[in-house]
Amino acid sequence: MNDIRDVIIIGSGPAGLTAAIYTARANMAPLVIEGEPSSTSDQPGGQLMLTTDVENFPGFPEGIMGPELMSNFRSQASRFGAEFLTAKVTSVDFSERPFTIEVGETSYKANTVIVSTGAQSLMLGLPNEDRLIGHGLSTCATCDGFFFRDQEIAVVGGGDSAVEEATFLTRFASKVYLVHRRDELRASKIMCERAFDNPKIEILWNSQVVEIQGDGKLSGVILKDTLTEATRSLSVDGLFIAIGHRPNTDLFEGHLELKENGYLVTEPNSSLTKVPGVFACGDVQDDYYRQAITAAGSGCMAAIDAERWLEDHHS
Ligand code: NAP
């Protein structure tokens, strides 16, 4: 168990698995600690496992289902010799090399580590969310807006993400309700003005979604007025939750530098963290683009950075 690996990859979304493909093909025999199926935040495959059709990943002109895409990524990495461990990392020690990664009672050692633990969209915590995600319920307007052409939808949130998504979604939807729990948006002035001026956007102030409805597919929501507590139903074909994201960085607190918002710091235009030999890629260090394709691209960067670093330090 205490063999020293060339590289251990923590996380198995598009970033981690792209890093696995590249490092495997560079003969680095990567071990991918892929997460645990029981957990929504750390499940193998990452956020695309919660998505149905993916139509914007290049190379699939007819689109592909999120889980199938991730299964393809995984098979491709396996084909070149990547090894997988279906488990959650419990702690890391990056204070000396080789680095140590603990999974329960077992320690793994590696000369380089690629961190690709991703991020998760914050959810409302309502009972139907898990069942309806990908079936009318979405957390990504860029990914799923196209499916709501000429339909009525709602966006939850009052920050820049929600207002930006609501505005973007008016390209497709016939009507967008922006559901916000207060009487004032948190978003920047310019974003707010854009939304106020858009005739397709109606802001539902002081409103909270308290129930998401739909059998196979989302059909509407129950809203509660936060001042009067009165409830009413709103029938919509889609609901976008845009109340923020949370990077999966708890493990790295005290070991890697984090930004104020919890995302990992990497050097500009690279995957380098402040710890030489530890690299980060994908949504765990990207609070801006958050796309599968940009995550995959940054996974490739991390693999090349790790390979070159190893060449310079362990040849
Ligand atoms: P955010 O600024 O934290 O806003 C989250 C919004 O969701 C807030 O309006 C909050 O309401 C609401 N919210 C939180 N929990 C909720 C719940 N349980 N139920 C209902 N509503 C809830 O998050 P964000 O909009 O994702 O933005 C994150 C950061 O990225 C910000 O710094 C933002 O400026 C930046 N960003 C920038 C751009 C851009 O410049 N183009 C685009 C997107 C994001 P309250 O207001 O009542 O707290």
Side-chain angles (χ1 to χ4, degrees), residues 40-72:
T40 314
S41 59
D42 301 300
Q43 68 174 315
Q47 294 175 80
L48 280 189
M49 300 301 283
L50 304 172
T51 312
T52 49
D53 299 272
V54 179
E55 290 190 334
N56 57 5
F57 201 88
F60 299 92
E62 306 303 325
I64 183 165
M65 301 302 270
E68 190 188 351
L69 179 60
M70 294 326 298
S71 159
N72 288 351

Side-chain angles (χ1 to χ4, degrees), residues 54-307:
V54 179
E55 290 190 334
N56 57 5
F57 201 88
F60 299 92
E62 306 303 325
I64 183 165
M65 301 302 270
E68 190 188 351
L69 179 60
M70 294 326 298
S71 159
N72 288 351
F73 268 64
R74 197 179 187 279
S75 312
Q76 196 172 346
S78 288
R79 182 179 148 215
F80 297 111
E83 257 182 79
F84 287 85
L85 179 67
T86 308
K88 254 172 95 157
V89 171
T90 42
S91 69
V92 295
D93 183 357
F94 296 154
S95 62
E96 57 179 6
R97 290 200 296 268
F99 304 117
T100 304
I101 290 169
E102 309 267 354
V103 176
E105 304 288 296
T106 313
S107 286
Y108 296 84
K109 301 261 182 204
N111 287 318
T112 66
V113 174
I114 295 177
V115 175
S116 51
T117 45
Q120 45 189 307
S121 299
L122 297 179
M123 301 300 282
L124 297 171
L126 297 172
N128 279 338
E129 278 176 335
D130 284 350
R131 194 166 61 73
L132 292 175
I133 192 122
H135 302 277
L137 179 64
S138 170
T139 54
C140 177
T142 312
C143 318
D144 299 330
F146 192 78
F147 301 121
F148 296 92
R149 198 169 281 281
D150 299 324
Q151 297 183 1
E152 298 206 347
I153 59 183
V155 176
V156 185
D160 280 322
S161 296
V163 176
E164 188 174 64
E165 298 216 340
T167 306
F168 173 76
L169 287 165
T170 59
R171 294 185 197 187
F172 313 101
S174 54
K175 167 117 197 165
V176 177
Y177 296 99
L178 182 60
V179 181
H180 184 39
R181 62 186 179 182
R182 292 187 296 132
D183 61 359
E184 189 188 6
L185 294 173
R186 178 182 293 278
S188 53
K189 199 161 169 268
I190 184 162
M191 297 266 214
C192 295
E193 278 167 9
R194 227 172 273 160
F196 296 147
D197 289 346
N198 191 319
K200 282 190 180 177
I201 296 180
E202 181 179 335
I203 305 182
L204 305 178
W205 301 105
N206 302 312
S207 300
Q208 193 131 26
V209 174
V210 289
E211 193 181 322
I212 303 172
Q213 298 176 312
D215 267 340
K217 196 183 162 317
L218 185 138
S219 58
V221 293
I222 305 284
L223 299 177
K224 186 172 91 178
D225 187 308
T226 54
L227 302 177
T228 65
E229 307 244 309
T231 56
R232 66 172 175 121
S233 61
L234 179 72
S235 138
V236 281
D237 303 295
L239 180 70
F240 287 77
I241 299 179
I243 61 172
H245 291 84
R246 185 174 185 277
N248 298 318
T249 49
D250 289 354
L251 260 184
F252 308 109
E253 265 175 52
H255 302 278
L256 293 175
E257 191 183 348
L258 307 186
K259 290 196 230 172
E260 215 171 81
N261 61 6
Y263 285 77
L264 290 185
V265 174
T266 48
E267 280 183 24
N269 303 319
S270 84
S271 66
L272 274 63
T273 68
K274 285 278 156 57
V275 177
V278 178
F279 305 88
C281 53
D283 284 14
V284 72
Q285 51 85 60
D286 173 14
D287 55 8
Y288 187 71
Y289 295 106
R290 301 187 177 120
Q291 299 300 302
I293 187 68
T294 49
S298 74
C300 163
M301 289 164 64
I304 291 174
D305 288 340
E307 185 192 345

